[in-house]
PDB file of all heavy atoms in Angstrom:
ATOM      1  N   ARG E  23      81.638  93.194 128.192  1.00 59.00           N
ATOM      2  CA  ARG E  23      81.741  91.746 128.011  1.00 59.00           C
ATOM      3  C   ARG E  23      83.210  91.354 128.135  1.00 59.00           C
ATOM      4  O   ARG E  23      84.076  91.923 127.490  1.00 59.00           O
ATOM      5  CB  ARG E  23      81.218  91.359 126.625  1.00 59.00           C
ATOM      6  CG  ARG E  23      81.191  89.862 126.397  1.00 59.00           C
ATOM      7  CD  ARG E  23      80.592  89.533 125.044  1.00 59.00           C
ATOM      8  NE  ARG E  23      81.545  89.645 123.943  1.00 59.00           N
ATOM      9  CZ  ARG E  23      82.488  88.746 123.668  1.00 59.00           C
ATOM     10  NH1 ARG E  23      82.635  87.683 124.405  1.00 59.00           N
ATOM     11  NH2 ARG E  23      83.294  88.921 122.653  1.00 59.00           N
ATOM     12  N   ILE E  24      83.477  90.394 128.971  1.00 57.00           N
ATOM     13  CA  ILE E  24      84.842  89.899 129.155  1.00 57.00           C
ATOM     14  C   ILE E  24      85.091  88.814 128.106  1.00 57.00           C
ATOM     15  O   ILE E  24      84.323  87.855 128.012  1.00 57.00           O
ATOM     16  CB  ILE E  24      85.037  89.342 130.576  1.00 57.00           C
ATOM     17  CG1 ILE E  24      84.806  90.465 131.589  1.00 57.00           C
ATOM     18  CG2 ILE E  24      86.436  88.732 130.731  1.00 57.00           C
ATOM     19  CD1 ILE E  24      84.814  90.022 133.017  1.00 57.00           C
ATOM     20  N   PRO E  25      86.136  88.954 127.310  1.00 56.00           N
ATOM     21  CA  PRO E  25      86.384  87.950 126.274  1.00 56.00           C
ATOM     22  C   PRO E  25      86.797  86.618 126.882  1.00 56.00           C
ATOM     23  O   PRO E  25      87.429  86.557 127.931  1.00 56.00           O
ATOM     24  CB  PRO E  25      87.513  88.554 125.446  1.00 56.00           C
ATOM     25  CG  PRO E  25      88.150  89.554 126.320  1.00 56.00           C
ATOM     26  CD  PRO E  25      87.110  90.016 127.293  1.00 56.00           C
ATOM     27  N   LYS E  27      88.935  83.122 127.016  1.00 56.00           N
ATOM     28  CA  LYS E  27      90.373  82.928 126.869  1.00 56.00           C
ATOM     29  C   LYS E  27      90.742  82.671 125.415  1.00 56.00           C
ATOM     30  O   LYS E  27      91.760  83.151 124.919  1.00 56.00           O
ATOM     31  CB  LYS E  27      90.838  81.771 127.744  1.00 56.00           C
ATOM     32  CG  LYS E  27      92.323  81.646 127.817  1.00 56.00           C
ATOM     33  CD  LYS E  27      92.752  80.665 128.855  1.00 56.00           C
ATOM     34  CE  LYS E  27      94.261  80.731 129.000  1.00 56.00           C
ATOM     35  NZ  LYS E  27      94.752  79.889 130.068  1.00 56.00           N
ATOM     36  N   GLU E  29      89.400  83.952 122.886  1.00 52.00           N
ATOM     37  CA  GLU E  29      89.196  85.163 122.097  1.00 52.00           C
ATOM     38  C   GLU E  29      90.242  86.239 122.371  1.00 52.00           C
ATOM     39  O   GLU E  29      90.251  87.262 121.713  1.00 52.00           O
ATOM     40  CB  GLU E  29      87.813  85.757 122.398  1.00 52.00           C
ATOM     41  CG  GLU E  29      86.664  84.893 121.968  1.00 52.00           C
ATOM     42  CD  GLU E  29      85.336  85.494 122.387  1.00 52.00           C
ATOM     43  OE1 GLU E  29      85.301  86.353 123.272  1.00 52.00           O
ATOM     44  OE2 GLU E  29      84.340  85.089 121.792  1.00 52.00           O
ATOM     45  N   THR E  30      91.074  86.027 123.362  1.00 54.00           N
ATOM     46  CA  THR E  30      92.048  87.062 123.703  1.00 54.00           C
ATOM     47  C   THR E  30      93.062  87.207 122.572  1.00 54.00           C
ATOM     48  O   THR E  30      93.412  86.252 121.891  1.00 54.00           O
ATOM     49  CB  THR E  30      92.786  86.735 125.020  1.00 54.00           C
ATOM     50  OG1 THR E  30      93.391  85.463 124.895  1.00 54.00           O
ATOM     51  CG2 THR E  30      91.820  86.745 126.189  1.00 54.00           C
ATOM     52  N   ARG E  33      99.890  88.636 121.715  1.00 63.00           N
ATOM     53  CA  ARG E  33     100.842  89.759 121.668  1.00 63.00           C
ATOM     54  C   ARG E  33     101.450  89.813 120.276  1.00 63.00           C
ATOM     55  O   ARG E  33     101.878  88.795 119.736  1.00 63.00           O
ATOM     56  CB  ARG E  33     101.942  89.523 122.709  1.00 63.00           C
ATOM     57  CG  ARG E  33     103.039  90.585 122.696  1.00 63.00           C
ATOM     58  CD  ARG E  33     104.169  90.228 123.642  1.00 63.00           C
ATOM     59  NE  ARG E  33     104.871  89.017 123.291  1.00 63.00           N
ATOM     60  CZ  ARG E  33     105.836  88.929 122.371  1.00 63.00           C
ATOM     61  NH1 ARG E  33     106.178  89.985 121.684  1.00 63.00           N
ATOM     62  NH2 ARG E  33     106.427  87.779 122.130  1.00 63.00           N
ATOM     63  N   ARG E  36     107.583  90.911 118.236  1.00 65.00           N
ATOM     64  CA  ARG E  36     108.563  91.988 118.242  1.00 65.00           C
ATOM     65  C   ARG E  36     109.327  91.956 116.923  1.00 65.00           C
ATOM     66  O   ARG E  36     109.443  90.914 116.286  1.00 65.00           O
ATOM     67  CB  ARG E  36     109.537  91.814 119.395  1.00 65.00           C
ATOM     68  CG  ARG E  36     108.895  91.995 120.726  1.00 65.00           C
ATOM     69  CD  ARG E  36     109.921  91.930 121.821  1.00 65.00           C
ATOM     70  NE  ARG E  36     109.259  92.095 123.097  1.00 65.00           N
ATOM     71  CZ  ARG E  36     109.700  91.606 124.220  1.00 65.00           C
ATOM     72  NH1 ARG E  36     110.826  90.924 124.241  1.00 65.00           N
ATOM     73  NH2 ARG E  36     109.045  91.797 125.334  1.00 65.00           N
ATOM     74  N   GLY E  45     116.810  97.016 103.110  1.00 86.00           N
ATOM     75  CA  GLY E  45     116.943  98.239 102.338  1.00 86.00           C
ATOM     76  C   GLY E  45     117.306  97.920 100.903  1.00 86.00           C
ATOM     77  O   GLY E  45     118.036  96.963 100.642  1.00 86.00           O
ATOM     78  N   VAL E  47     117.769  99.925  96.792  1.00 90.00           N
ATOM     79  CA  VAL E  47     117.664 101.050  95.868  1.00 90.00           C
ATOM     80  C   VAL E  47     116.589 100.694  94.852  1.00 90.00           C
ATOM     81  O   VAL E  47     116.531  99.555  94.381  1.00 90.00           O
ATOM     82  CB  VAL E  47     119.014 101.314  95.167  1.00 90.00           C
ATOM     83  CG1 VAL E  47     118.881 102.407  94.128  1.00 90.00           C
ATOM     84  CG2 VAL E  47     120.072 101.660  96.196  1.00 90.00           C
ATOM     85  N   GLU E  53     108.104 102.279  90.673  1.00 92.00           N
ATOM     86  CA  GLU E  53     108.530 102.481  92.050  1.00 92.00           C
ATOM     87  C   GLU E  53     108.941 103.932  92.284  1.00 92.00           C
ATOM     88  O   GLU E  53     108.693 104.487  93.345  1.00 92.00           O
ATOM     89  CB  GLU E  53     109.673 101.535  92.399  1.00 92.00           C
ATOM     90  CG  GLU E  53     109.258 100.088  92.456  1.00 92.00           C
ATOM     91  CD  GLU E  53     110.428  99.158  92.671  1.00 92.00           C
ATOM     92  OE1 GLU E  53     111.559  99.498  92.245  1.00 92.00           O
ATOM     93  OE2 GLU E  53     110.217  98.090  93.258  1.00 92.00           O
ATOM     94  N   HIS E  54     109.572 104.552  91.283  1.00 90.00           N
ATOM     95  CA  HIS E  54     109.946 105.972  91.393  1.00 90.00           C
ATOM     96  C   HIS E  54     108.706 106.829  91.599  1.00 90.00           C
ATOM     97  O   HIS E  54     108.691 107.718  92.440  1.00 90.00           O
ATOM     98  CB  HIS E  54     110.672 106.439  90.126  1.00 90.00           C
ATOM     99  CG  HIS E  54     112.135 106.133  90.140  1.00 90.00           C
ATOM    100  ND1 HIS E  54     113.057 106.969  89.565  1.00 90.00           N
ATOM    101  CD2 HIS E  54     112.835 105.092  90.645  1.00 90.00           C
ATOM    102  CE1 HIS E  54     114.268 106.456  89.722  1.00 90.00           C
ATOM    103  NE2 HIS E  54     114.148 105.309  90.368  1.00 90.00           N
ATOM    104  N   ASP E  58     107.932 109.058  94.868  1.00 91.00           N
ATOM    105  CA  ASP E  58     107.667 110.497  94.752  1.00 91.00           C
ATOM    106  C   ASP E  58     106.316 110.861  95.364  1.00 91.00           C
ATOM    107  O   ASP E  58     106.191 111.853  96.084  1.00 91.00           O
ATOM    108  CB  ASP E  58     107.701 110.944  93.290  1.00 91.00           C
ATOM    109  CG  ASP E  58     109.108 110.930  92.695  1.00 91.00           C
ATOM    110  OD1 ASP E  58     110.087 110.853  93.467  1.00 91.00           O
ATOM    111  OD2 ASP E  58     109.212 110.994  91.455  1.00 91.00           O
ATOM    112  N   ARG E  59     105.290 110.068  95.072  1.00 91.00           N
ATOM    113  CA  ARG E  59     103.943 110.352  95.578  1.00 91.00           C
ATOM    114  C   ARG E  59     103.899 110.259  97.109  1.00 91.00           C
ATOM    115  O   ARG E  59     103.330 111.125  97.779  1.00 91.00           O
ATOM    116  CB  ARG E  59     102.939 109.388  94.954  1.00 91.00           C
ATOM    117  CG  ARG E  59     101.496 109.722  95.277  1.00 91.00           C
ATOM    118  CD  ARG E  59     100.513 108.762  94.635  1.00 91.00           C
ATOM    119  NE  ARG E  59     100.595 107.448  95.283  1.00 91.00           N
ATOM    120  CZ  ARG E  59     101.061 106.333  94.716  1.00 91.00           C
ATOM    121  NH1 ARG E  59     101.474 106.344  93.466  1.00 91.00           N
ATOM    122  NH2 ARG E  59     101.100 105.202  95.375  1.00 91.00           N
ATOM    123  N   VAL E  61     106.432 110.579  99.284  1.00 91.00           N
ATOM    124  CA  VAL E  61     107.199 111.670  99.893  1.00 91.00           C
ATOM    125  C   VAL E  61     106.429 112.988  99.774  1.00 91.00           C
ATOM    126  O   VAL E  61     106.352 113.754 100.728  1.00 91.00           O
ATOM    127  CB  VAL E  61     108.607 111.777  99.276  1.00 91.00           C
ATOM    128  CG1 VAL E  61     109.329 113.014  99.774  1.00 91.00           C
ATOM    129  CG2 VAL E  61     109.423 110.539  99.605  1.00 91.00           C
ATOM    130  N   TYR E  66     107.014 116.697 105.746  1.00 84.00           N
ATOM    131  CA  TYR E  66     106.532 117.905 106.391  1.00 84.00           C
ATOM    132  C   TYR E  66     106.908 119.188 105.635  1.00 84.00           C
ATOM    133  O   TYR E  66     106.277 120.220 105.818  1.00 84.00           O
ATOM    134  CB  TYR E  66     107.013 117.979 107.848  1.00 84.00           C
ATOM    135  CG  TYR E  66     108.483 118.297 108.011  1.00 84.00           C
ATOM    136  CD1 TYR E  66     108.894 119.568 108.381  1.00 84.00           C
ATOM    137  CD2 TYR E  66     109.455 117.329 107.803  1.00 84.00           C
ATOM    138  CE1 TYR E  66     110.229 119.860 108.536  1.00 84.00           C
ATOM    139  CE2 TYR E  66     110.784 117.602 107.959  1.00 84.00           C
ATOM    140  CZ  TYR E  66     111.167 118.865 108.333  1.00 84.00           C
ATOM    141  OH  TYR E  66     112.496 119.155 108.491  1.00 84.00           O
ATOM    142  N   LEU E  67     107.904 119.146 104.773  1.00 85.00           N
ATOM    143  CA  LEU E  67     108.286 120.318 103.979  1.00 85.00           C
ATOM    144  C   LEU E  67     107.761 120.254 102.552  1.00 85.00           C
ATOM    145  O   LEU E  67     108.100 121.107 101.747  1.00 85.00           O
ATOM    146  CB  LEU E  67     109.810 120.465 103.939  1.00 85.00           C
ATOM    147  CG  LEU E  67     110.484 120.839 105.242  1.00 85.00           C
ATOM    148  CD1 LEU E  67     111.992 120.849 105.072  1.00 85.00           C
ATOM    149  CD2 LEU E  67     109.988 122.184 105.727  1.00 85.00           C
ATOM    150  N   PHE E  69     107.320 118.272  98.763  1.00 84.00           N
ATOM    151  CA  PHE E  69     108.308 117.682  97.860  1.00 84.00           C
ATOM    152  C   PHE E  69     107.850 117.905  96.433  1.00 84.00           C
ATOM    153  O   PHE E  69     106.675 117.759  96.124  1.00 84.00           O
ATOM    154  CB  PHE E  69     108.424 116.174  98.143  1.00 84.00           C
ATOM    155  CG  PHE E  69     109.292 115.427  97.166  1.00 84.00           C
ATOM    156  CD1 PHE E  69     110.657 115.494  97.247  1.00 84.00           C
ATOM    157  CD2 PHE E  69     108.718 114.667  96.163  1.00 84.00           C
ATOM    158  CE1 PHE E  69     111.452 114.803  96.352  1.00 84.00           C
ATOM    159  CE2 PHE E  69     109.509 113.977  95.264  1.00 84.00           C
ATOM    160  CZ  PHE E  69     110.875 114.047  95.358  1.00 84.00           C
ATOM    161  N   LEU E  72     113.380 115.238  92.750  1.00 83.00           N
ATOM    162  CA  LEU E  72     114.819 115.226  92.950  1.00 83.00           C
ATOM    163  C   LEU E  72     115.466 115.668  91.641  1.00 83.00           C
ATOM    164  O   LEU E  72     115.149 115.136  90.581  1.00 83.00           O
ATOM    165  CB  LEU E  72     115.305 113.826  93.327  1.00 83.00           C
ATOM    166  CG  LEU E  72     114.823 113.282  94.668  1.00 83.00           C
ATOM    167  CD1 LEU E  72     115.317 111.850  94.865  1.00 83.00           C
ATOM    168  CD2 LEU E  72     115.280 114.149  95.811  1.00 83.00           C
ATOM    169  N   ARG E  78     117.091 106.894  94.992  1.00 92.00           N
ATOM    170  CA  ARG E  78     115.939 106.676  95.860  1.00 92.00           C
ATOM    171  C   ARG E  78     116.112 105.314  96.537  1.00 92.00           C
ATOM    172  O   ARG E  78     116.396 104.328  95.893  1.00 92.00           O
ATOM    173  CB  ARG E  78     114.653 106.698  95.050  1.00 92.00           C
ATOM    174  CG  ARG E  78     114.289 108.064  94.547  1.00 92.00           C
ATOM    175  CD  ARG E  78     113.147 107.956  93.537  1.00 92.00           C
ATOM    176  NE  ARG E  78     112.716 109.243  93.057  1.00 92.00           N
ATOM    177  CZ  ARG E  78     113.283 109.904  92.053  1.00 92.00           C
ATOM    178  NH1 ARG E  78     114.315 109.383  91.426  1.00 92.00           N
ATOM    179  NH2 ARG E  78     112.826 111.076  91.674  1.00 92.00           N
ATOM    180  N   TRP E  83     109.718  95.997 105.283  1.00 83.00           N
ATOM    181  CA  TRP E  83     109.576  95.020 106.345  1.00 83.00           C
ATOM    182  C   TRP E  83     108.359  94.175 106.026  1.00 83.00           C
ATOM    183  O   TRP E  83     107.249  94.691 105.913  1.00 83.00           O
ATOM    184  CB  TRP E  83     109.419  95.697 107.697  1.00 83.00           C
ATOM    185  CG  TRP E  83     109.303  94.748 108.838  1.00 83.00           C
ATOM    186  CD1 TRP E  83     110.199  93.796 109.220  1.00 83.00           C
ATOM    187  CD2 TRP E  83     108.218  94.644 109.751  1.00 83.00           C
ATOM    188  NE1 TRP E  83     109.749  93.118 110.309  1.00 83.00           N
ATOM    189  CE2 TRP E  83     108.519  93.622 110.668  1.00 83.00           C
ATOM    190  CE3 TRP E  83     107.024  95.321 109.895  1.00 83.00           C
ATOM    191  CZ2 TRP E  83     107.670  93.259 111.688  1.00 83.00           C
ATOM    192  CZ3 TRP E  83     106.179  94.956 110.915  1.00 83.00           C
ATOM    193  CH2 TRP E  83     106.512  93.939 111.804  1.00 83.00           C
ATOM    194  N   THR E  86     106.232  95.534 103.206  1.00 87.00           N
ATOM    195  CA  THR E  86     105.626  96.856 103.354  1.00 87.00           C
ATOM    196  C   THR E  86     106.721  97.916 103.390  1.00 87.00           C
ATOM    197  O   THR E  86     107.715  97.756 104.093  1.00 87.00           O
ATOM    198  CB  THR E  86     104.818  96.929 104.667  1.00 87.00           C
ATOM    199  OG1 THR E  86     103.842  95.900 104.660  1.00 87.00           O
ATOM    200  CG2 THR E  86     104.133  98.273 104.819  1.00 87.00           C
ATOM    201  N   ALA E 102     123.790 132.214  95.424  1.00 81.00           N
ATOM    202  CA  ALA E 102     123.988 132.527  96.844  1.00 81.00           C
ATOM    203  C   ALA E 102     125.225 131.819  97.401  1.00 81.00           C
ATOM    204  O   ALA E 102     125.946 132.370  98.228  1.00 81.00           O
ATOM    205  CB  ALA E 102     122.745 132.149  97.630  1.00 81.00           C
TER     206      ALA E 102
END
Side-chain angles (χ1 to χ4, degrees):
R23 184 177 82 77
I24 299 173
K27 189 170 188 175
E29 295 176 341
T30 56
R33 177 186 63 81
R36 293 185 181 153
V47 175
E53 292 174 331
H54 276 214
D58 289 345
R59 188 179 70 248
V61 172
Y66 73 103
L67 291 176
F69 173 77
L72 294 177
R78 289 169 178 85
W83 181 59
T86 303

